[in-house]
Amino acid sequence: MDDKKRNILFSEEQINSRIKELGEIITKDYKDKKLYVLSLLRGSFVYAADLVRAIDLNTKIGFMTTSSYEHSETSSGSVKVVSDISDNIEGWDVLIVDDIVDTGITMDFVVNYIKNLNPASVNTCVLLDKPSRRKVEIVPDYCCFEIEDLFVVGYGLNYGDFYRNVPYVFNWE
C-alpha cells in the first residue's frame, strides 16, 4: 500500500484542535462527576491519550480490548472481549472512547456490557463516526469527525498491524 498516494482526510492540526474543543466540552459536562474513561484497545489508545490530557478533571482511566475486525477491513459482526476491564466502575460516570463507530456493533456491545456493571452513566466518544455503515441504532455522544464510507487508517487506526503511529487520518487514492 505504500506505493499508493495518501489522501489526508484529517491533519494532525485538525485532530488536535478538535480534541481540545471536545476536552473542554467533556470537562464542562462532567464537572462534579466521577469520570471514568474507558479506552477500547487497540484502536483508541492514541486518541484516548490525547483526549484525557484535554480534559481538565480528575479522571480515572481504564482499558478493555475487544475484537471484531481481526486483520480484515470489515467487521465480522461478532464481538468478543479479549481483555476485560479491571476496575470496579459501579457508581462511576463512564465515557467509552473508541477510534471509530462503523457498523456500531462493537460500541453497542460494549455499552450494554458496561451498563451491566452498574455505572452511574454510560456515554460514548469517538474520533470518527461512519453512520452510513450502521447496522445497529447507536449515535456517539461525542465525536470528532463524521466520515463517508471510506476505509481509513492512521492516528490509532490500523491496516493489518501497521499505520497506527501515523499522526493524521488518511486513505489511499
Side-chain angles (χ1 to χ4, degrees):
M1 292 295 228
D2 278 329
D3 57 338
K4 294 185 177 182
K5 184 179 184 306
R6 291 182 184 187
N7 177 37
I8 297 174
L9 301 172
F10 303 105
S11 69
E12 184 175 7
E13 294 77 19
Q14 288 173 301
I15 294 168
N16 290 338
S17 176
R18 182 65 180 131
I19 288 173
K20 183 178 182 229
E21 290 172 9
L22 269 184
E24 291 169 0
I25 293 167
I26 292 167
T27 297
K28 187 184 302 179
D29 290 352
Y30 284 87
K31 185 178 186 242
D32 301 323
K33 294 187 177 188
K34 289 174 48 176
L35 179 58
Y36 184 96
V37 172
L38 179 61
S39 172
L40 300 184
L41 298 176
R42 289 184 245 178
S44 77
F45 83 99
V46 173
Y47 175 50
D50 288 343
L51 180 66
V52 296
R53 288 191 299 252
I55 298 171
D56 189 20
L57 297 171
N58 286 333
T59 303
K60 190 169 182 177
I61 303 163
F63 304 93
M64 182 178 185
T65 307
T66 61
S67 177
S68 68
Y69 282 81
E70 296 177 352
H71 289 292
S72 175
E73 291 182 13
T74 58
S75 174
S76 67
S78 174
V79 181
K80 65 181 180 179
V81 175
V82 177
S83 175
D84 206 346
I85 184 173
S86 62
D87 297 307
N88 177 354
I89 58 169
E90 187 171 344
W92 285 82
D93 294 284
V94 177
L95 182 62
I96 302 168
V97 177
D98 204 2
D99 53 358
I100 189 167
V101 173
D102 189 321
T103 63
I105 292 170
T106 298
M107 187 61 82
D108 184 61
F109 172 87
V110 173
V111 165
N112 289 312
Y113 186 90
I114 295 303
K115 282 181 178 177
N116 287 323
L117 300 176
N118 300 315
S121 68
V122 178
N123 285 300
T124 58
C125 180
V126 297
L127 175 68
L128 302 172
D129 183 18
K130 196 188 295 186
S132 66
R133 301 247 317 137
R134 211 63 100 240
K135 292 187 178 176
V136 297
E137 285 288 322
I138 193 158
V139 176
D141 298 291
Y142 303 94
C143 174
C144 280
F145 306 102
E146 187 174 302
I147 62 170
E148 297 299 318
D149 186 12
L150 300 168
F151 181 73
V152 293
V153 295
Y155 197 76
L157 295 124
N158 64 309
Y159 178 67
D161 291 324
F162 302 99
Y163 301 102
R164 291 189 196 275
N165 62 318
V166 175
Y168 50 85
V169 174
F170 71 98
N171 69 342
W172 285 282
E173 293 182 350

